[in-house]
Amino acid sequence: MEVKVIRLVSGEEIITFISKKTDDGYQLDNPCFIVPTENGVGLMELMPYTKISENGVFIKTESIVFITEAVAGLEDQYKKVNSKIDLPPEKQIIL
């Protein structure tokens, strides 16, 4: 599954895995709101008081303005938040 950023007609932006596309919309897995912070942007779980994190959520096509790809840093942050494994930083070789 690829990580995508979705702009909703309400103006909210979501970063998510899209697990299924139908004629009516998209099934989203582990969706998070992208929220502005003092240091850039942060991620906030979509409705943390529900079972969306377990079951995902279906968004109708008419609720979506556009879908695009995330920049690498945001995608890495999203994957880290949703990973069950804490990966060490990538090793670099300096010559």
Side-chain angles (χ1 to χ4, degrees):
M1 287 187 287
E2 290 184 291
V3 175
K4 297 290 184 181
V5 174
I6 300 174
R7 166 69 66 94
L8 302 177
V9 295
S10 62
E12 296 163 311
E13 295 174 342
I14 295 174
I15 185 166
T16 187
F17 291 112
I18 297 177
S19 61
K20 185 177 180 183
K21 179 182 186 266
T22 69
D23 291 338
D24 297 328
Y26 298 85
Q27 178 66 31
L28 310 181
D29 291 337
N30 300 314
C32 291
F33 285 118
I34 301 171
V35 294
T37 68
E38 291 179 10
N39 300 322
V41 296
L43 302 178
M44 183 176 78
E45 186 178 349
L46 182 69
M47 298 177 69
Y49 42 86
T50 68
K51 291 192 175 189
I52 288 176
S53 63
E54 296 172 25
N55 304 326
V57 67
F58 187 81
I59 299 286
K60 291 184 178 184
T61 304
E62 58 262 15
S63 298
I64 298 171
V65 177
F66 62 82
I67 299 174
T68 189
E69 296 172 12
V71 294
L74 182 60
E75 183 173 342
D76 292 344
Q77 181 183 359
Y78 173 75
K79 286 180 177 178
K80 185 175 181 179
V81 166
N82 287 291
S83 175
K84 306 261 188 278
I85 302 170
D86 190 16
L87 300 173
E90 185 178 317
K91 292 183 180 181
Q92 297 179 353
I93 298 174
I94 300 173
L95 301 175

